[in-house]
Amino acid sequence: MVPDVAIEKRNQLIQDGYCVIDNILTQEFLDELRRESDRMLDNVEHPPTWKYQGSDLHVSGRDEPVIHRLINWKPARDALEALGLGDFKSHGGFIILSKPPGGPPLYWHQDWMGWNDPISCAPWPQYLFLSYYLVDTTIENGCFQVIPGTHLKRIPLHDHLVAAHAQGGYYVPENDPYMFYDHPDSVDFPVKSGSLVIAEGRILHAARGNQSEQRRTLLLGWHSRPATVPENWEGEIPEEILNRDPNVTYEPTREPSHYLK
Ligand SMILES: O=C(O)CCC(=O)C(=O)O
Ligand SMILES: [Fe+2]
């Protein structure tokens, strides 16, 4: 990646909360990921709680060589490095999120569980998801949606959302007016298969329903860095982080706190 592009992508990730880097997977690896994810999906029961995500199959790199290969995929590691995110480490697996034909939209949510921790107001990335869509995504087949900037800025919608997934999202009705709100600031984010989407765990995001005849599979891997100021950070450091006690353990919660301003 040329340095200008890397700076542009890094700035977009910091300000808007997401960016995409094209052509990260080879055709051969993409074919293998499709084959292997189809095999894993076809071998498990899909409980009703998977309705909105399509599937929520957590696969460790220790159990599946193909996932191990994805975690260590050099072009992706090089891209992280180029964006100044070389200190991010994989949590050790990827989640297979596969919307079947006819699958409903995924509700608005954010995925950060550390809102009691002052690190929540970091203006730099701390907790990221790396996403590979295994088919080209469109508005019709369930592309990603995002409300830019909501990883750092509270909007009225935050106060109306049920916490994601097991914390509540599983059980919301399909006509919930806030969870499926057609927000004027939302951006559809169609991508090519083989691209790498990097996004903030704190950002409000969702996905369209799948109105195509083909499954829309996504491999999503969580990555994080230590709760410290990054060496390459040149911007402001919030007071709350300067005063953060590194020895405290913070009770996990998905509820955005006063650290989301
Ligand atoms: O299906 C998608 O595109 C996003 C999935 C997601 O954000 C989640 O499961 O937390
Ligand atoms: Fe999510």
Side-chain angles (χ1 to χ4, degrees):
M1 201 180 318
V2 299
D4 281 2
V5 173
I7 290 169
E8 179 200 318
K9 302 282 181 195
R10 177 179 165 83
N11 287 342
Q12 190 192 5
L13 177 64
I14 289 170
Q15 281 158 31
D16 297 341
Y18 61 98
C19 67
V20 62
I21 298 153
D22 287 333
N23 298 316
I24 290 288
L25 302 177
T26 58
Q27 189 59 51
E28 180 250 334
F29 193 27
L30 192 53
D31 289 342
E32 183 184 352
L33 289 166
R34 285 189 187 125
R35 245 184 351 259
E36 291 294 299
S37 59
D38 282 346
R39 173 184 60 80
M40 290 184 250
L41 285 165
D42 293 340
N43 272 317
V44 289
E45 290 276 343
H46 286 48
T49 50
W50 282 4
K51 174 166 97 171
Y52 293 116
Q53 288 164 296
S55 64
D56 186 16
L57 183 57
H58 293 238
V59 186
S60 163
R62 282 192 307 274
D63 298 333
E64 291 288 347
V66 72
I67 298 298
H68 179 81
R69 191 171 170 211
L70 186 59
I71 290 169
N72 297 296
W73 187 244
K74 182 139 185 335
R77 288 306 317 175
D78 289 348
L80 287 178
E81 197 66 53
L83 267 61
L85 306 169
D87 58 355
F88 274 78
K89 282 204 171 65
S90 161
H91 290 197
F94 268 79
I95 308 173
I96 307 181
L97 296 143
S98 187
K99 270 184 193 301
L106 176 62
Y107 40 73
W108 288 112
H109 70 282
Q110 55 79 32
D111 292 302
W112 174 235
M113 305 273 280
W115 287 107
N116 282 331
D117 186 332
I119 201 70
S120 299
C121 60
W124 57 82
Q126 278 292 133
Y127 181 64
L128 295 171
F129 53 108
L130 270 54
S131 288
Y132 299 96
Y133 291 88
L134 302 186
V135 292
D136 294 356
T137 58
T138 61
I139 288 177
E140 287 71 39
N141 77 351
C143 71
F144 188 60
Q145 295 173 289
V146 61
I147 306 180
T150 49
H151 58 309
L152 297 176
K153 191 170 163 29
R154 188 178 278 277
I155 61 169
L157 184 60
H158 275 109
D159 296 333
H160 296 288
L161 295 178
V162 173
H165 311 333
Q167 284 74 38
Y170 282 172
Y171 313 103
V172 298
E174 278 187 41
N175 61 359
D176 186 295
Y178 291 111
M179 295 299 273
F180 300 100
Y181 186 48
D182 185 8
H183 197 282
D185 297 335
S186 97
V187 172
D188 281 295
F189 199 52
V191 293
K192 289 257 174 246
S193 57
S195 299
L196 168 62
V197 176
I198 306 179
E200 266 283 347
R202 295 173 290 181
I203 203 166
L204 288 181
H205 58 281
R208 296 262 179 189
N210 183 0
Q211 295 171 301
S212 79
E213 303 286 307
Q214 196 189 16
R215 84 177 7 150
R216 186 234 60 175
T217 299
L218 154 66
L219 303 179
L220 182 155
W222 286 103
H223 289 69
S224 49
R225 62 174 301 283
T228 54
V229 180
E231 267 173 35
N232 56 6
W233 182 252
E234 290 171 353
E236 258 181 65
I237 303 170
E239 201 69 24
E240 291 90 336
I241 294 181
L242 290 170
N243 296 330
R244 178 180 184 273
D245 181 348
N247 300 312
V248 172
T249 42
Y250 300 93
E251 198 59 42
T253 176
R254 256 191 208 267
E255 204 62 53
S257 67
H258 63 285
Y259 294 126
L260 184 66
K261 298 187 178 145

